[in-house]
Structure formats: C-alpha cells, structure tokens
C-alpha cells in the first residue's frame, strides 16, 4: 500500500514520506496540517508506540503556531471566558480523539483516508477545497510572522549602519528576499530522510524554547508593570470565534488512525482512554498558561501575534529570542503547509495518479512553488497584517469548523454509529458527541458568517523606513 506525504513509516523514524497524488490523500494532509504548523514528530519505538510515546505524538502534532495567538484569544473572550472556552474545547477534543481512535481500531483503518471512505464523496471533495484555502492562508500568516521578526531585528541595525537602508524603505523590499527563502524551503517535492529529521528536531527545539521563554517573559512584564491593566473577565460575544480556533488544536483528529495503527496492539485498549486525556491536558495547560500570562502582561496591546507585541513594547534579549524561535518554527513548518497543496494541484493536472509530485516536470514544480511563495508574500503586505489576521480568524470560524467539527462528526456517524446500530449495539455516547459537535459547529459557523459581514479597514502601512525609525527609537531611547 502506498504511503502518503505525512503518513509515517515506523521502521524509519516515522518521518513524513512521499507526497501522494491521489485526490483522497489530501483529506489527511489538510486535516492534520491546517492552522497548526506542527512538526509531525514520531518517536522510533521498534515494536510500536508505547502509551507515553503515543501521547507525545498527539501533543506534538496538535500544538504548533497557535501558541503565539492564545493571548489574543484571551483578550477576545476575557480571561475567565478564555478558561471556560478552552476547557470546553479540550473536553470536546478528548472525546473526539477517543471516539476516532476506537473507530480506527474497529475498522482497522491505518490512515485518515481509510477512515473517511464511508462518508459521502461530496464531503471529501469539500475538504479538499477547504483545505487548499486554509493551508494557503496559514502559509501567508507564517510569512507575516517571519517578516515581522526580520524587520524588527534587522532594520534598526541596518539603518544605524547605513542610514536610510534600501531594504528598510518598504515592506515590499523585505518581502522579496523572504519570498526567495520560502521558495527554497518549500521547493522539494518530498520531505524524507535527513531533511525531515532536521526540520522536525529544529522545530521542536524552537517550539519548546518559545513556550518556556514566553511564560517567563510574560510573568516578568506582568510583575514589573506599574500601571493597572483593564482586564475583562467575560466577553461572550467572542466565545464562538475563540472556540472555532481552539478546537483546531485539541481536535487533531486526522492523526488518530495513524496513532492507532502504530500503537502496540496490547496497549491499544488502554491507549484509547489514556493518550487523548494526557496529550490534550498537557496542551490545555500550555495554552492556558501562555494565554493568561500573555493577556495579563499585555492587556489590550495584545494582537494575534503576541510574540511581536513583546518585541515592540518590551524589547530585550528574551523578546528577541521568543520571536526568533517562533519565526524559525514558522519558517521550517512552511513546507508542511505548501507540500500538500502542491501535491493536490498536481493531482488535478495529471491524468495518471501513479506519477508522483517528485516526478512532475521541473517547470511545473517551479511554477507551483513560485505561485505559493509569491501569493503568500504579496497578499499579507497588500491587505495589511490586521486584515489578513481577520481573514484567518474568519477561516477558522468557517473552514476550520468544517474540518474540525462537522467532518469528524460525519466520520463518527458513518464509521461507528451506523455500523453499531446495524449490529444491535448501543451508541448513545457517540450520538451525544455528534450532536454536541454539530451544536458547537453551528454556533461557530454563525460567528464566521457574522464576521464576514463586518467591514474590515485596510491598513495604511507606513514606509518601512519610518517604521524602522520608530523601532530604532524604541530600542535606543534618548
């Protein structure tokens, strides 16, 4: 049986394998990668994953770039509202993961594709197109994150050394070399071997560093603040928006069949109960800690990219390290978002599904990679980071709702509830979960529709030379 780009081979450190050109393979790739930017790190265990190893796999594949945004979510919903929504989505994620793990084991499904086979064809096709848009938008946000780091760190140095430096005259000037960097890292048509291991290990180190230092930095800023912050406890109007974004971290349903397939058979029954609880609990603790500390320290200053706010308002070595770790993680995870998109586009272009993306003509590979590098650079700069962040939140309330709530509900219905009923087995717990997923999904979908009707003001971006002067003065007050 062929392996997909993000399926894992237990005999080779479970690294991402070749990108499949089959249309249905994109269901797995998009569902796992969208909005997370996670490094799909598997631990080599020889004879299958232990419970501890499987827990680590679920944790690593679920918690990624979202960590930079959780302080902003706390600001949207209020600190108590953030706790309430996060815990509610965490419980939902645990139940969702447990149910799909059990369904994967019952159906002997080794991939998300195999688990998706019973659902209607229109649902899989919708996931393909939703995933393309979602992954493209996430890749654009990753570019913005890298751009923010580069301009904040290099412009003060460049302008001090050579005056009005050319790169600092416009964000477009900085976007060009960063676009070349994105092209280079995302050009390979497959991620395997030493390249995959290097990306995964470096990304894991960067992720851990960013989390730990963000906690310490937030606590120090909070402790040293002299003015009182106006922190709001409850903002119920933003609950649905925050829920739709947080469920993407906790649901993590796409990876469940692979985890079930790689677990030691003797541990599967216990792992169904223990692994989701342990992994999601750890994710919840990290999100609550970083979110609440960040909101308490930054208050209304917080934006979707909290790491950038630390650097702008409280610049020091810790802030630079946080932003560097976050930017490095985003940059290294960029190919995990672009590669599935290129694979899917190639599947539309070729008439032979056996021809892999790596075997596509060189000109087509260059064209596809250039398309994503150029559009991911141009769009965030053209519309402005705030407008693009709002667009990403709207996607979380619509596309993310489909992929993280409605699609898993469909899978549970077709993979577990209907087979159980045909055999006369009660499935009340699964039915209750499906109803809850649909209820939350409808609320989040309504929120997304409402957000779409709100006008978004396009930002008037200062020339980067003026931005450079502002940042330089912040770093070197008179």
């Amino acid at each position: 049986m062929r392996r997909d780009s993000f399926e894992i081979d237990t005999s080779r450190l479970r690294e991402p394998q070749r990108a499949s050109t089959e249309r249905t393979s994109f269901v797995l790739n998009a569902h796992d990668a969208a909005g997370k930017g996670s490094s799909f790190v598997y631990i080599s265990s020889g004879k299958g994953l232990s419970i501890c190893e499987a827990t680590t796999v679920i944790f690593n594949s679920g918690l990624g770039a979202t960590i930079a945004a959780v302080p902003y979510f706390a600001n949207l919903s209020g600190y108590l509202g953030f706790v309430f929504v996060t815990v509610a989505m965490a419980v939902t994620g645990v139940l969702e993961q447990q149910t799909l793990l059990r369904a994967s084991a019952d159906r002997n499904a080794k991939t998300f594709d195999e688990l998706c086979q019973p659902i209607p064809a229109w649902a899989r096709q919708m996931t393909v197109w939703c995933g393309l848009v979602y992954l493209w938008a996430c890749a654009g946000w990753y570019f913005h994150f890298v751009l923010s780091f580069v301009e904040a760190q290099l412009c003060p140095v460049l302008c001090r050394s050579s005056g009005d430096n050319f790169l600092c005259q416009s964000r477009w000037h900085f976007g060009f070399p960063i676009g070349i960097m994105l092209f280079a890292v995302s050009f390979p048509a497959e991620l395997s071997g030493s390249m995959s291991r290097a990306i995964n290990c470096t990304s894991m180190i960067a992720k851990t560093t960013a989390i730990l230092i963000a906690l310490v930095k937030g606590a120090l800023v909070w402790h040293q603040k002299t003015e009182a912050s106006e922190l709001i406890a409850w903002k119920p109007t933003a609950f649905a928006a925050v829920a739709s974004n947080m469920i993407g971290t906790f649901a993590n349903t796409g990876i469940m069949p692979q985890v079930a397939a790689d677990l030691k058979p003797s541990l599967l029954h216990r792992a169904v109960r223990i692994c989701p609880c342990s992994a999601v609990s750890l994710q919840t603790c990290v999100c609550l800690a970083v979110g609440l500390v960040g909101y308490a320290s930054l208050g209304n200053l917080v934006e979707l990219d909290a790491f950038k706010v630390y650097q702008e308002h409280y610049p020091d070595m810790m802030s630079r390290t946080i932003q560097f770790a976050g930017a490095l993680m985003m940059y290294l995870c960029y190919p995990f978002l672009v590669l599935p998109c290129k694979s899917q586009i190639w599947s539309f272009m070729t008439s032979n599904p056996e021809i892999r993306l790596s075997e596509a003509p060189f000109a087509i590979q260059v064209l596809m990679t250039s398309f994503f590098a150029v559009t991911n650079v141009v769009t965030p700069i053209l519309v402005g980071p705030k407008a693009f962040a709002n667009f990403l939140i709207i996607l979380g309330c619509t596309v993310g709702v489909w992929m993280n709530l409605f699609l898993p509900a469909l899978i549970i219905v077709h993979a577990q509830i209907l087979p159980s009923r045909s055999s006369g087995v009660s499935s009340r717990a699964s039915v209750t979960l499906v109803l809850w997923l649909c209820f939350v999904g409808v609320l989040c979908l309504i929120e997304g529709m409402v957000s779409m009707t709100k006008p978004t003001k396009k930002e008037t971006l200062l020339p980067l030379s003026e931005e450079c002067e502002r940042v330089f003065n912040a770093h070197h007050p008179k």
Side-chain angles (χ1 to χ4, degrees):
M1 182 175 65
R2 292 173 57 192
R3 291 255 173 195
D4 296 335
S5 60
F6 292 115
E7 291 183 29
I8 308 301
D9 184 354
T10 58
S11 65
R12 298 185 59 202
L13 193 59
R14 295 167 171 83
E15 69 229 9
Q17 298 295 306
R18 288 188 176 185
S20 169
T21 57
E22 295 177 356
R23 293 172 187 262
T24 57
S25 68
F26 191 73
V27 177
L28 168 64
N29 293 333
H31 194 90
D32 279 338
K36 299 176 184 178
S38 51
S39 54
F40 301 103
V41 180
Y42 272 64
I43 302 174
S44 179
S45 58
K47 296 182 179 180
L49 296 174
S50 67
I51 289 180
C52 181
E53 291 170 340
T55 300
T56 305
V57 167
I58 298 172
F59 173 81
N60 284 335
S61 63
L63 189 66
T66 308
I67 199 63
V70 287
Y72 179 72
F73 296 151
N75 180 45
L76 281 182
S77 58
Y79 57 90
L80 291 181
F82 176 67
V83 173
F84 171 76
V85 173
T86 299
V87 172
M89 293 302 100
V91 173
T92 302
V94 169
L95 296 175
E96 202 171 324
Q97 289 186 19
Q98 288 178 335
T99 305
L100 291 180
L101 266 179
R102 190 176 299 110
S104 301
D106 293 343
R107 294 183 54 84
N108 196 29
K110 297 179 177 61
T111 69
F112 197 66
D113 286 341
E114 295 177 5
L115 193 57
C116 284
Q117 289 307 312
I119 70 175
W122 64 264
R124 279 185 283 167
Q125 290 301 314
M126 180 180 292
T127 304
V128 168
W129 292 107
C130 288
L132 279 171
V133 177
Y134 205 172
L135 289 175
W136 174 84
C138 292
W141 180 252
Y142 283 17
F143 158 76
H144 165 69
F145 201 107
V146 176
L147 176 65
S148 298
F149 169 76
V150 172
E151 71 178 46
Q153 300 302 320
L154 290 186
C155 268
V157 177
L158 293 175
C159 292
R160 179 175 56 186
S161 61
S162 58
D164 192 13
N165 190 278
F166 172 78
L167 285 177
C168 296
Q169 292 176 6
S170 170
R171 285 186 171 88
W172 295 103
H173 296 173
F174 254 129
F176 179 73
I178 295 177
I180 295 177
M181 292 170 56
L182 296 181
F183 177 91
V185 76
S186 61
F187 181 77
E190 58 184 16
L191 295 175
S192 59
S194 58
M195 180 178 181
S196 173
R197 286 193 291 271
I199 289 177
N200 282 330
C201 292
T202 307
S203 182
M204 271 299 300
I205 294 173
K207 181 194 301 184
T208 304
T209 301
I211 291 173
L212 294 178
I213 299 183
L215 285 172
V216 175
K217 176 65 178 180
L220 289 176
V221 171
W222 187 14
H223 177 72
Q224 295 172 0
K225 288 180 68 173
T226 56
E227 70 281 5
S229 299
E230 296 182 3
L231 304 181
I232 299 177
W234 298 94
K235 296 180 184 178
T237 55
F239 282 5
V242 175
S244 61
N245 284 276
M246 294 303 297
I247 192 62
T249 295
F250 299 132
N252 197 20
T253 53
I255 207 69
M256 293 301 108
Q258 191 66 56
V259 173
D262 289 346
L263 273 162
K264 294 179 181 179
S266 59
L267 300 176
L268 186 56
H269 180 70
R270 291 176 56 206
V272 167
R273 294 181 289 105
I274 296 175
C275 292
C277 287
S278 303
V280 175
S281 295
L282 186 57
Q283 291 170 343
T284 304
C285 291
V286 172
C287 289
L288 287 177
V290 175
L292 293 176
V293 170
Y295 179 44
S297 59
L298 298 176
N300 292 329
L301 294 175
V302 70
E303 299 175 4
L304 192 62
D305 180 0
F307 296 166
K308 177 185 176 183
V309 180
Y310 279 127
Q311 176 61 24
E312 288 182 344
H313 296 274
Y314 305 97
D316 58 12
M317 181 58 68
M318 292 180 67
S319 298
R320 289 192 290 273
T321 304
I322 295 172
Q323 205 173 11
F324 172 75
L328 181 61
M329 181 178 67
M330 301 287 192
Y331 177 69
L332 292 178
C333 289
Y334 183 82
F336 285 100
L337 301 177
V338 173
L339 182 58
C341 294
K342 294 195 299 182
S343 176
Q344 183 60 34
I345 293 174
W346 172 241
S347 75
F348 292 149
M349 299 174 63
T350 181
S351 58
N352 185 359
E354 296 302 321
I355 300 178
R356 299 177 182 273
L357 176 63
S358 58
E359 300 168 350
F362 180 77
I364 292 180
Q365 294 192 42
V366 171
L367 183 62
M368 286 194 295
T369 307
S370 300
F371 169 80
F372 284 100
V374 170
T375 57
N376 287 148
V377 168
V378 170
T379 308
I381 296 180
L382 192 63
V383 304
K386 288 186 178 179
F388 198 80
N390 290 336
F391 173 64
L392 200 60
I393 291 176
I394 290 173
L395 283 181
C397 296
T398 52
V399 174
V401 168
W402 165 255
M403 302 183 74
N404 296 313
L405 292 168
F406 290 135
L407 181 63
L410 267 179
I411 295 171
I412 294 172
V413 169
H414 288 274
Q416 191 169 60
I417 294 178
L418 294 181
S420 297
R421 290 204 171 174
S422 63
S423 59
V425 179
S426 175
S427 55
R428 291 182 180 177
S430 297
V431 172
T432 303
L433 176 59
V434 167
L435 293 176
W436 170 249
L437 291 177
C438 292
F439 172 73
V440 176
V442 169
L443 290 182
C444 295
L445 189 60
I446 293 174
E447 169 64 24
M449 296 301 179
V450 172
S451 299
M452 288 183 181
T453 63
K454 296 179 181 178
T456 301
K457 293 183 179 180
K458 181 179 176 180
E459 294 171 89
T460 302
L461 298 179
L462 294 173
L464 202 56
S465 55
E466 297 181 36
E467 180 73 5
C468 173
E469 181 179 358
R470 185 185 65 80
V471 175
F472 177 78
N473 291 335
H475 279 274
H476 304 279
K478 296 180 181 180

